[in-house]
């Protein structure tokens, strides 16, 4: 299996690059952000519970997202591989993912860290706010999400660096250039 974790701060381009990887390699896209937004849109009990947390730019509890990912892995047994986007965001989530995958005799092969400096992230997210109208793309929430990324999510990069799986890539440049770098990092370039 080819299991890739696309990692980086909000606005680094994880969603865009995930799209390309899915088409390029037939991988199943697992984005906890998309799953949570779908719950909100459907107006489920869970959707109502997480609304305020997401709009404040805070993290939804580990239990909720780990359970969601566990269900998706079960639904897609036999998949060529997965691309994890926006998950894991804490070390607890990373450890849970490692053991979930071990249960299927597989593991994360590559963790691609898209690096983008903070000023550019804020600029991109404000632009996305105008284009997509995401309720968590307001100036105050954007800063909060970047701070939470640094505090709670960056340690996940160390977790995988210790295992020799982390590949750092600049997330500045054209979509194609960055995709080319990702292909090289995961050993799939022509
Ligand atoms: P994203 O689309 O990945 O930027 O996620 C949007 C929001 O959903 C985040 O700011 C969090 O509130 C929530 N979220 C998404 N993924 C996770 C996760 N793995 N752990 C906790 N909260 C998450």
């Amino acid at each position: 299996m080819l299991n890739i974790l696309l990692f980086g701060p909000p606005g680094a381009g994880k969603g865009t690059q995930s799209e390309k990887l899915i088409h390029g390699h037939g991988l199943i896209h697992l984005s906890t952000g998309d799953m949570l937004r779908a719950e909100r849109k459907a107006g489920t009990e869970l959707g109502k519970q997480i609304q305020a947390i997401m709009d404040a730019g805070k993290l939804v509890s580990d239990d909720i997202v780990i359970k969601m990912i566990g269900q998706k892995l079960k639904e897609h047994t036999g998949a060529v591989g997965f691309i994890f986007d926006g998950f894991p965001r804490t070390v607890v989530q990373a450890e849970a993912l490692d053991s979930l995958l071990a249960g299927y005799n597989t593991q994360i092969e590559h963790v691609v860290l898209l690096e983008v400096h903070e000023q550019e992230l804020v600029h991109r997210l404000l632009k996305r706010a105008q284009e997509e109208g995401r309720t968590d793309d307001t100036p105050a929430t954007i800063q909060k999400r970047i701070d939470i990324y640094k505090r709670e999510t960056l340690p996940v990069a160390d977790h995988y660096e210790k295992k020799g799986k982390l590949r750092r890539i600049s997330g500045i440049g054209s979509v194609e250039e960055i995709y080319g770098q990702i292909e090289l990092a995961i050993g799939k370039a022509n």
Side-chain angles (χ1 to χ4, degrees), residues 10 14 31-34 36-37 50 53-55 57-62 65 85-90 93 128 134 136 145:
K14 299 187 293 290
S31 156
T32 41
D34 286 352
L36 295 167
R37 277 186 290 278
I50 58 182
I53 301 169
M54 287 178 77
D55 286 347
K58 294 182 188 159
L59 293 184
V60 169
S61 81
D62 288 333
V65 286
D85 165 7
F87 177 91
R89 258 178 161 94
T90 63
Q93 292 178 22
R128 186 169 77 184
R134 259 178 64 163
D136 57 351
R145 283 159 61 214

